[in-house]
Amino acid sequence: MSENMVLDRKDYLIMQFLQENGWLQTKELSARIGLSNSATAQRVKLLKEAGYIESAHAVVQRDIMGAHLEALFLMELDKHDEEIVEEFMREIVQLPEVLSAFLVTGRHDVVVNVVAQDMLHLKKLAFEQFTNRPFITRIETSMVYASRHSRVLQPLM
Amino acid sequence: MSENMVLDRKDYLIMQFLQENGWLQTKELSARIGLSNSATAQRVKLLKEAGYIESAHAVVQRDIMGAHLEALFLMELDKHDEEIVEEFMREIVQLPEVLSAFLVTGRHDVVVNVVAQDMLHLKKLAFEQFTNRPFITRIETSMVYASRHSRVLQPLM
DNA sequence: ATTGAAAGGTGTTGGCC
DNA sequence: GGCCAACACCTTTCAAT
């Protein structure tokens, strides 16, 4: 029942509403999509079991966490040995300051989105966690004036 | 009660656990932090009312949404008139293909994280929504091989 | 902060259309 | 498949300690 589940419009609606608001209750959700409470709960359960709904996460205010500055590190790597790069990506995303990391083609090789308390913190982060590593040949730091995030991925078809 | 709330370690624990798993129930949460059910529910309610916990969002599998490709658009703008740029940021993050957008200092001016079904889709997106606009002077498209996201913002102090 | 109670929501299951 | 009813469990809010 989980692998080859066929999704209809109501399943996509459920996923859209739960992306917009992860705290939406079954009662409200069922009212919106026009199904009974139990039918809706069933679908949500199946969508989770099938892995189509992966997880949910609360979003907290940044300042309360001391994240007053945001930046992008645009980095170039020396050797693109897959193992090293994959391990590097896994490692950095564990750092409390790292929000996301992208392994990319083009002028840069890795783009990392970080937060920091202040410039001193950012400097220490850059030097002690990145400049540090021998396979990183260059880091360009772009300060972020403003960032916006869409938390809802809609069907593109 | 909402503005100048003093947060203790248990409040930070609550926020950490709810960032890791937005579906955590009060019962489980209270057991983890060592408080009674109702005390925990109270704290969560206050944290939400104070705006420290802003929202929650389910995360869905990308392929099911047809998002098979990911890219970064690294863009340079002609004139940095604040109104135009702010409006531009607001607009693009509404597009279904745009996951996030960063207004930054440095070599680039705006970095946009997008998804697309395929190369044709990506090309149309780039040309019809970005290259299009008169104030965008250059776009560099970096394909994303892999991306990782931390959904938990820890206190940096 | 805790306990206990009341009211309402949840999630599951079984019977039925 | 969806619906309904029923049941056990959990949540939320309140007052009292």
Side-chain angles (χ1 to χ4, degrees):
Chain A
M1 65 181 73
S2 53
E3 291 299 287
N4 292 357
M5 198 176 162
V6 177
L7 302 181
D8 63 14
R9 183 173 289 106
K10 293 186 179 185
D11 292 310
Y12 280 104
L13 271 179
I14 288 173
M15 291 191 282
Q16 183 179 330
F17 286 134
L18 289 181
Q19 284 183 92
E20 288 170 359
N21 180 4
W23 286 319
L24 210 53
Q25 302 182 131
T26 305
K27 189 187 180 190
E28 168 71 10
L29 187 57
S30 59
R32 289 198 196 175
I33 64 173
L35 279 182
S36 72
N37 220 310
S38 54
T40 306
Q42 269 295 335
R43 280 173 182 251
V44 172
K45 188 187 176 196
L46 289 176
L47 288 169
K48 288 179 183 175
E49 284 173 1
Y52 297 144
I53 298 177
E54 294 177 353
S55 55
H57 308 273
V59 174
V60 303
Q61 192 190 296
R62 284 198 180 176
D63 279 329
I64 207 72
M65 295 302 187
H68 307 301
L69 293 183
E70 183 175 359
L72 297 183
F73 291 158
L74 306 161
M75 310 185 310
E76 291 168 31
L77 305 191
D78 188 15
K79 33 180 172 183
H80 292 64
D81 184 61
E82 191 176 359
E83 275 305 311
I84 293 179
V85 176
E86 290 286 336
E87 170 60 16
F88 171 59
M89 295 278 289
R90 246 176 278 132
E91 237 180 280
I92 61 176
V93 87
Q94 310 260 43
L95 297 173
E97 294 91 350
V98 173
L99 300 185
S100 52
F102 304 86
L103 179 62
V104 297
T105 67
R107 189 193 309 216
H108 314 289
D109 296 315
V110 174
V111 175
V112 186
N113 180 208
V114 303
V115 288
Q117 290 187 261
D118 48 41
M119 275 296 180
L120 181 62
H121 184 187
L122 188 66
K123 186 188 105 188
K124 290 194 71 172
L125 176 68
F127 280 96
E128 294 177 9
Q129 298 290 347
F130 294 92
T131 309
N132 231 359
R133 312 195 187 227
F135 56 89
I136 299 181
T137 53
R138 191 170 170 280
I139 302 188
E140 181 182 337
T141 301
S142 273
M143 296 305 301
V144 174
Y145 287 133
S147 62
R148 289 174 175 271
H149 298 265
S150 163
R151 258 103 193 186
V152 182
L153 184 54
Q154 290 170 279
L156 297 178
M157 329 80 170
Chain B
M1 67 180 71
S2 53
E3 291 299 286
N4 291 358
M5 197 175 161
V6 177
L7 302 180
D8 64 12
R9 181 172 288 107
K10 292 187 179 184
D11 291 310
Y12 280 104
L13 271 179
I14 288 173
M15 291 191 282
Q16 182 178 331
F17 286 134
L18 289 181
Q19 284 182 93
E20 288 170 0
N21 180 4
W23 287 318
L24 254 197
Q25 303 181 130
T26 305
K27 190 188 180 189
E28 168 72 11
L29 188 57
S30 59
R32 290 199 196 175
I33 64 173
L35 279 183
S36 72
N37 221 311
S38 54
T40 306
Q42 269 299 332
R43 280 174 183 250
V44 173
K45 190 187 174 196
L46 288 176
L47 289 169
K48 288 180 183 173
E49 284 173 0
Y52 297 144
I53 299 177
E54 294 176 353
S55 56
H57 308 272
V59 174
V60 303
Q61 192 190 295
R62 283 198 181 176
D63 279 330
I64 208 73
M65 294 303 186
H68 307 301
L69 293 184
E70 183 175 0
L72 297 183
F73 291 157
L74 307 160
M75 311 187 310
E76 290 167 33
L77 307 190
D78 189 13
K79 33 181 172 184
H80 293 63
D81 184 60
E82 190 177 358
E83 275 305 311
I84 293 180
V85 175
E86 290 286 336
E87 170 61 17
F88 171 60
M89 294 279 289
R90 246 176 278 133
E91 239 181 279
I92 61 177
V93 86
Q94 309 260 43
L95 297 173
E97 294 91 351
V98 173
L99 299 186
S100 52
F102 304 85
L103 178 63
V104 298
T105 68
R107 189 190 311 211
H108 315 288
D109 297 314
V110 174
V111 176
V112 186
N113 181 209
V114 302
V115 289
Q117 288 187 262
D118 48 39
M119 275 297 180
L120 181 61
H121 184 187
L122 188 66
K123 186 188 107 189
K124 290 194 71 172
L125 177 68
F127 280 97
E128 294 177 8
Q129 298 291 347
F130 294 93
T131 309
N132 230 0
R133 313 198 185 224
F135 55 89
I136 299 180
T137 53
R138 190 168 172 281
I139 302 188
E140 182 182 336
T141 302
S142 272
M143 296 305 302
V144 174
Y145 286 133
S147 62
R148 289 175 174 270
H149 299 265
S150 164
R151 257 102 193 187
V152 182
L153 184 54
Q154 291 170 279
L156 298 178
M157 331 79 169

